[in-house]
Amino acid sequence: MSAPNIDTIVSLAKRRGFVFPSSEIYGGLGSAWDYGPLGVELCNNVKQEWWRWMVHERDDIEGVDSSIILSRLVWQYSGHEATFHDPLVDCRDCKGRLRGDKLDFGDEAPADSNRIAELITQKRVKCPNCGSRDLTEPRPFNMMFRTMLGAAADENDPSALAYLRPETAQGIFINFLNVQTTMRRKLPFGIAQIGKSFRNEITPGNFILRTREFEQMEMEYFVRPDAEHLKLVDEWVEQYVEWFATLGLDRGNLRLHEVPPEELAHYSKRTVDIMYRYFPERPEEERQWEELMGIAYRTDFDLRAHSNKPVDSEGKRLNADSTDDLSFFDDALKERFYPHVIEPAAGVNRTVLAILMEAYSEKTNDKGETRVILKLRPQLAPIKAAILPLAKNKPEIVGMAKAIKRSLQPVLRAVYDDTGGIGKLYARQDEIGTPFCVTVDHQSLEDEAVTVRDRDTWQQDRVKVADLAEHLQTRLKE
Ligand code: GAP
């Protein structure tokens, strides 16, 4: 079983401290979300899993952590200033601001703004909010967030203009030579980064699926120009599908989407999106999917664009501002070239949402009550073990439970809870995905043993306190 819809997760996330609507006491800030005590642990666990898989367990990947605010020139030469646009359409009646490419055009997906404009007139396209047909022509809206650098900066001073990054990738490209030379890397090798990105989305929504501030896990894999690029894209797709399975995602809820040429980003020659079934409640299967991540073949576009050497047909430098050449001398080939790039780009938040949806399940107890169980993979669970005293008015039991919790703390994330009856405490831990509850009872004082309850089966085992840490660690790896 998985969650029937995103709303089920929104409500669980708020009720149990995973994700809260941001700025709620001031009426909220459209589609911004704050991660609570359990949400931050889950996000950290996803990022740790990714870093371990992508960087530590491979021999060919290095990590970086670059600035969120980069020189404006980075975005000029990357093409984002000129092309990182969405077509913005206004509804003259309800004043709604709409993504032109997401309007309902029937079976045609318009390739560009000219076609969107034609179809709006020809098909008398309706505003999805109010049904009016009085829509403006699309105009390009740049999605990068602008800011001004420096205390004395005037709001209109172009020399102070900077952007919050809309992708972490550019921080990798501009550090390509730094990483390659300091780490003495030869091709192929990759550079990975996790960090926040910002896009002034016209229509954010669907909880943490599309927000203006989000987190990415990106890796740029640098290869020779004659590598089998398209095959490498397929290989990364396959590796990611397997990785998502280790996080608990069902293969049946994933599907691949070959992005058609007219929809490719300006830097891409091929992109395959891995889609997740975020909307299982929609009757038409085609509308159940949204992008979880994308794997793109970016060619040598970015390294070339940031280099000071390439020239146009008249010998004029294409990049007049860069002070370096990001080409690579291949000792084996005795050749200098701009490496080509395969880029798997995933979102932390979309991964977390898919994991929560997939882990959601319900079970009926022997009293006929329905309980929610979040069947998170143990490595992702925010809390690994909850230590619960059977009687909170018995100081010896409480003392023993607290001592057990402290003894587990150095090896795994454990909490102590005595704020309810044992049934309620179990239910709470099941709902937040804690794999094991450890109960200290009267007998424990005598036999130095505790009851370990399994989240998924509700089966209980008696375990000696002396063996508990090892027992839990072994079972967490199963
Ligand atoms: N560097 C390539 C790049 O940024 P993208 O497909 O635009 O490619 C990669 O973004 C991933 O980042 C997406 O697949 C998605 O998981 C995440 N992402 C993009 N925009 C997002 C948004 N507004 N809210 C949440 N996640 C987003």
Side-chain angles (χ1 to χ4, degrees), residues 99 102 199 210 218 233-234 236-238 240-241 244 251 253-260 263-265 267-268 270-278 289-297 343-347 350:
R99 278 259 311 254
K102 300 282 176 195
R199 296 182 191 175
R210 178 164 289 105
E218 296 200 288
V233 169
D234 291 325
W236 276 107
V237 167
E238 218 169 282
Y240 260 90
V241 168
F244 286 127
R251 185 67 183 83
N253 286 331
L254 294 173
R255 93 175 190 188
L256 307 182
H257 170 65
E258 184 82 42
V259 177
E263 287 176 25
L264 290 172
Y267 50 72
S268 174
R270 182 189 178 203
T271 299
V272 177
D273 286 340
I274 302 181
M275 317 285 280
Y276 182 75
R277 199 193 297 270
Y278 289 105
W289 308 88
E290 182 55 81
E291 177 187 330
L292 168 59
M293 69 165 302
I295 293 113
Y297 167 38
E343 175 200 65
R350 289 189 189 185

Side-chain angles (χ1 to χ4, degrees), residues 17-294:
F18 282 92
V19 185
F20 309 120
S22 185
S23 314
E24 206 178 9
I25 61 166
Y26 290 106
L29 175 70
S31 77
W33 300 89
D34 297 335
Y35 289 78
L38 302 180
V40 66
E41 296 285 350
L42 177 55
C43 289
N44 284 346
N45 291 344
V46 167
K47 288 185 275 183
Q48 258 168 34
E49 282 298 304
W50 187 81
W51 196 261
R52 193 163 55 78
W53 173 67
M54 184 59 86
V55 182
H56 293 184
E57 289 180 0
R58 295 181 63 110
D59 302 320
D60 54 354
I61 315 272
E62 304 285 354
V64 291
D65 184 8
S66 68
S67 289
I68 285 175
I69 299 175
L70 303 173
S71 163
R72 178 185 172 190
L73 293 167
V74 171
W75 306 108
Q76 272 178 16
Y77 287 104
S78 71
H80 283 77
E81 215 176 50
T83 64
F84 199 59
H85 295 122
D86 269 345
L88 172 65
V89 169
D90 284 304
C91 170
R92 292 197 184 90
D93 278 329
C94 72
K95 310 293 176 217
R97 315 210 90 184
L98 312 166
R99 278 259 311 254
D101 54 332
K102 300 282 176 195
L103 294 171
D104 186 359
F105 299 104
D107 42 17
E108 181 172 344
D112 55 34
S113 286
N114 290 339
R115 188 65 190 141
I116 294 173
E118 281 169 16
L119 287 176
I120 285 177
T121 318
Q122 277 168 21
K123 298 204 169 183
R124 305 202 58 234
V125 171
K126 280 196 215 162
C127 167
N129 301 333
C130 72
S132 163
R133 296 181 198 275
D134 196 2
L135 304 182
T136 64
E137 285 203 347
R139 58 188 192 286
F141 172 76
N142 194 294
M143 289 197 290
M144 285 195 291
F145 273 101
R146 298 152 64 98
T147 188
M148 292 298 181
L149 298 185
D154 173 299
E155 217 172 273
N156 298 312
D157 177 1
S159 67
L161 176 62
Y163 300 105
L164 305 187
R165 66 181 176 201
E167 61 168 8
T168 61
Q170 295 302 324
I172 295 179
F173 293 126
I174 58 173
N175 278 296
F176 168 72
L177 272 191
N178 289 335
V179 176
Q180 186 265 319
T181 51
T182 52
M183 308 315 283
R184 301 173 305 281
R185 282 289 183 178
K186 294 192 182 347
L187 300 184
F189 80 97
I191 306 177
Q193 168 156 234
I194 299 178
K196 292 255 176 152
S197 291
F198 302 81
R199 296 182 191 175
N200 202 358
E201 299 277 358
I202 298 172
T203 50
N206 289 314
F207 190 37
I208 53 175
L209 189 68
R210 178 164 289 105
T211 48
R212 295 191 171 109
E213 173 182 346
F214 55 96
E215 212 164 5
Q216 293 185 306
M217 306 180 279
E218 296 200 288
M219 197 277 290
E220 310 302 319
Y221 198 64
F222 300 95
V223 299
R224 286 176 173 170
D226 63 354
E228 290 185 84
H229 309 111
L230 302 187
K231 199 168 138 223
L232 279 167
V233 169
D234 291 325
E235 282 173 17
W236 276 107
V237 167
E238 218 169 282
Q239 292 185 56
Y240 260 90
V241 168
E242 275 171 34
W243 185 64
F244 286 127
T246 69
L247 303 185
L249 303 194
D250 188 310
R251 185 67 183 83
N253 286 331
L254 294 173
R255 93 175 190 188
L256 307 182
H257 170 65
E258 184 82 42
V259 177
E262 66 276 12
E263 287 176 25
L264 290 172
H266 62 278
Y267 50 72
S268 174
K269 271 264 165 59
R270 182 189 178 203
T271 299
V272 177
D273 286 340
I274 302 181
M275 317 285 280
Y276 182 75
R277 199 193 297 270
Y278 289 105
F279 303 99
E281 76 282 12
R282 293 183 177 166
E284 312 92 325
E285 229 225 318
E286 279 310 301
R287 296 186 55 243
Q288 295 178 348
W289 308 88
E290 182 55 81
E291 177 187 330
L292 168 59
M293 69 165 302

